Amino acid sequence: MRADDLPLSNSFAALPADFYTRLMPTPLAAPYLVAASASAAALVGLTPAQLAEPELVDLFAGNRVAVRSQPLSAVYSGHQFGVWAGQLGDGRAILLGELNGPHGPLELQLKGAGMTPYSRMGDGRAVLRSSIREFLCSEAMAALRIPTTRALCIMGADQAIMRETVESAAVVTRMAPSFVRFGSFEHWYHRDKPEQLQQLADYVIATFYPELTAEANPYTALLAEVTRRTARMIAHWQAVGFMHGVMNTDNMSILGLTLDYGPFGFMEAFDPGHICNHTDQQGRYTYANQPQVGHWNCYALGQALMPLIGDVDAAQQALALYQTEFAATLDYLLHAKLGLQTVQDGDQALLAALFELMTASHVDFTNFFRALGNFQSTAASDTVLRDMFIERTQFDDWAARYRARLQAEHSNDARRKEAMDAVNPKYVLRNYLAQVAIDKAVASDYSEVARLLAILERPFDEQPEHAAYAALPPDWAHDLEVSCSS
Ligand code: AMP
Ligand code: MG
């Protein structure tokens, strides 16, 4: 595959020059392929074999620029941990352009390909460790059917990068229809530049939300639609126990995609107050806080769009969609997780009681819901489930309520298990699984990254040969810490 044959275009580059800086990626010495996602590659008409060819290794390491590429880094601003942070921007991301695929155009973006005018104190690089985490989690989330940016491949190099210790460099290529963030809009609002604000909004609407152009005020409609998508995305996060870790407005996608995988985590021992990001000392982004932070972020977007919306009541109405959309989506997802096919009085109380019990016993989130698929609606309590709880008699009480609830809708155990197994994953990207793959990759063995990817691409399948990957974290994993911007 010749890099110059890639039919790249770049719609973002058609925006005026103050939206970005055109620049070249910085080469890495002797890059090599670490991992590739076949399903992501298929979205842009590529194969893993092509990604292993020298020209594409160079391309996705930032060592070569394709003729049709117009590489650029975008400017944006944002609220970080609730505080206005001013200008940020793609400090280590470079957009190469977009490729067409069976589901439409996808932008390809290098992350870690060198300094940009927005690098601030950073070195423009990403380490192998964080690149593997982003790569695996992007693809795992897609397989969980959660809206997300994708990851095409990781290119590595033996170049030393200074973090808390010396690590090696990598570049992960991400894909999404757009990487525009809430912070891209906040940037122009806070600079008092209504013309650019409108140019950006018009670009986003025309390119990604064309159906909104017919609305009375397309900007209000944009806020409403982004609010709904964000609410739905976060409901999906809650339902699978995903914690983003850095829900700053510069990490919120205007398309409602999970964006910027850093110190994320999947809930293991259930604790609504769990903080997955070591940097988040106040616990702003705990599991329990994610829904309201998502709403707060939509307010920040609404504020930025006010010069275009013009009417405070209209903006408030759009933002009010958040609660209803979030509640409806989460309710739907939780009913499915419990295998309930109808909505009945008392369902909310049944769910609340369950989460209270799970909290008290620190039950493993993923394994509990997976095991619940085996619950018998006629027999006595299931011992596997019961043994997950410290207060077993309290679980027995809950199980009796659940059993009665199932009987009330004449639930069929076999069919319910099949439906529950299709929504309650057996395999998620536990931190320790990522760490094992990272440790091997650091020793130049990339086989575990590939194996983990293959398992996480089928999260709902039993895969008995891989049952060990559903195991609780080992003792050493309790000391694992992940923090911002590595
Ligand atoms: P994050 O917390 O990863 O979303 O990053 C926040 C901001 O810091 C973004 O503008 C990033 O582009 C920038 N950034 C993070 N790490 C680096 C780095 N190593 N070099 C340059 N910029 C960075
Ligand atoms: Mg970011």
Side-chain angles (χ1 to χ4, degrees):
M1 180 86 203
R2 300 212 26 236
D4 288 347
D5 292 340
L6 285 176
L8 282 163
S9 54
N10 195 331
S11 72
F12 192 83
L15 281 167
D18 44 1
F19 284 85
Y20 52 80
T21 302
R22 297 279 306 268
L23 80 179
M24 293 294 155
T26 309
L28 283 170
Y32 41 80
L33 178 71
V34 169
S37 163
S39 62
L43 295 174
V44 289
L46 293 173
T47 64
Q50 288 173 324
L51 292 168
E53 291 173 16
E55 281 211 16
L56 291 198
V57 171
D58 279 348
L59 184 75
F60 293 120
N63 288 24
R64 163 195 289 272
V65 173
V67 281
R68 291 189 186 80
S69 181
Q70 297 172 272
L72 62 86
S73 291
V75 69
Y76 52 82
S77 294
H79 282 87
Q80 296 186 315
F81 295 93
V83 178
W84 177 243
Q87 182 181 306
L88 302 164
D90 289 331
R92 51 174 170 171
I94 298 180
L95 173 65
L96 298 182
E98 67 234 9
L99 281 177
N100 266 315
H103 305 293
L106 284 175
E107 291 186 350
L108 275 68
Q109 189 189 65
L110 305 181
K111 183 168 176 180
M115 299 248 272
T116 80
Y118 317 110
S119 296
R120 298 178 297 149
M121 313 297 277
D123 58 5
R125 290 297 181 191
V127 299
L128 181 61
R129 167 175 55 94
S130 65
S131 303
I132 289 173
R133 284 173 51 84
E134 170 141 25
F135 173 82
L136 288 175
C137 200
S138 305
E139 297 306 286
M141 292 287 269
L144 290 166
R145 302 186 289 263
I146 298 176
T148 179
T149 63
R150 299 295 300 263
L152 177 65
C153 58
I154 307 173
M155 301 302 172
D158 296 337
Q159 187 165 321
I161 302 291
M162 263 319 284
R163 292 293 183 263
E164 278 169 29
T165 58
V166 178
E167 302 190 44
S168 65
V171 176
V172 56
T173 299
R174 309 194 286 194
M175 306 196 306
S178 173
F179 289 92
V180 169
R181 301 132 193 274
F182 289 11
S184 312
F185 290 87
E186 291 178 280
H187 181 73
W188 299 116
Y189 171 78
H190 285 266
R191 293 205 164 182
D192 200 12
K193 300 273 191 195
E195 197 183 320
Q196 282 88 340
L197 182 68
Q198 182 166 357
Q199 281 169 336
L200 181 63
D202 287 344
Y203 163 75
V204 166
I205 292 169
T207 318
F208 308 107
Y209 295 97
E211 67 283 4
L212 302 184
T213 45
E215 298 285 331
N217 183 328
Y219 310 111
T220 312
L222 176 67
L223 179 62
E225 182 56 20
V226 176
T227 298
R228 271 192 295 259
R229 285 196 194 188
T230 304
R232 282 200 292 268
M233 170 186 78
I234 295 173
H236 276 93
W237 291 359
Q238 300 303 105
V240 77
F242 175 79
M243 294 162 286
H244 182 284
V246 207
M247 293 172 69
N248 295 334
T249 56
D250 54 301
N251 292 338
M252 299 297 292
S253 151
I254 201 68
L255 302 182
L257 306 173
T258 311
L259 169 65
D260 269 11
Y261 291 90
F264 65 82
F266 281 87
M267 184 67 79
E268 295 184 307
F270 189 67
D271 170 14
H274 183 70
I275 303 170
C276 65
N277 176 1
H278 186 59
T279 318
D280 181 14
Q281 281 162 1
Q282 307 291 320
R284 180 177 172 86
Y285 299 139
T286 60
Y287 174 82
N289 283 352
Q290 290 191 135
Q292 70 202 63
V293 169
H295 199 186
W296 192 95
N297 289 344
C298 289
Y299 265 88
L301 177 65
Q303 178 74 57
L305 290 173
M306 270 322 290
L308 303 175
I309 294 175
D311 174 351
V312 177
D313 287 345
Q316 294 283 10
Q317 271 176 32
L319 291 165
L321 294 168
Y322 188 92
Q323 285 106 328
T324 42
E325 194 75 20
F326 176 79
T329 308
L330 187 61
D331 198 50
Y332 171 83
L333 294 171
L334 292 179
H335 270 78
K337 287 184 87 66
L338 263 62
L340 300 175
Q341 293 194 312
T342 57
V343 176
Q344 297 188 9
D345 287 346
D347 286 355
Q348 293 305 325
L350 184 73
L351 283 164
L354 172 61
F355 283 111
E356 212 170 287
L357 281 179
M358 288 173 69
T359 308
S361 288
H362 298 299
V363 171
D364 185 84
F365 189 91
T366 303
N367 288 358
F368 170 76
F369 282 108
R370 186 71 181 188
L372 193 63
N374 295 319
F375 189 87
Q376 301 289 313
S377 62
T378 47
S381 181
D382 178 309
T383 52
V384 174
L385 281 169
R386 190 171 191 265
D387 288 349
M388 290 182 174
F389 291 83
I390 299 166
E391 297 291 347
R392 297 196 179 150
T393 52
Q394 286 180 17
F395 174 73
D396 291 340
D397 293 345
W398 185 84
R401 285 167 71 184
Y402 179 49
R403 183 168 292 114
R405 174 64 182 79
L406 291 173
Q407 285 167 357
E409 65 174 37
H410 309 292
S411 191
N412 173 299
D413 285 354
R415 275 205 295 270
R416 188 182 67 253
K417 176 178 165 54
E418 203 177 311
M420 289 171 76
D421 281 358
V423 296
N424 292 324
K426 176 160 178 181
Y427 301 101
V428 295
L429 183 57
R430 296 171 185 272
N431 268 347
Y432 84 88
L433 296 175
Q435 192 59 44
V436 171
I438 289 164
D439 290 343
K440 288 194 177 162
V442 165
S444 303
D445 174 1
Y446 308 121
S447 62
E448 187 62 18
V449 177
R451 187 173 307 117
L452 201 45
L453 173 64
I455 294 167
L456 295 171
E457 279 177 332
R458 299 162 52 210
F460 303 107
D461 290 359
E462 219 22 66
Q463 305 185 57
E465 68 282 20
H466 296 308
Y469 288 78
L472 298 180
D475 285 344
W476 60 261
H478 297 305
D479 302 326
L480 281 179
E481 275 172 359
V482 281
S483 51
C484 283
S485 300
S486 53

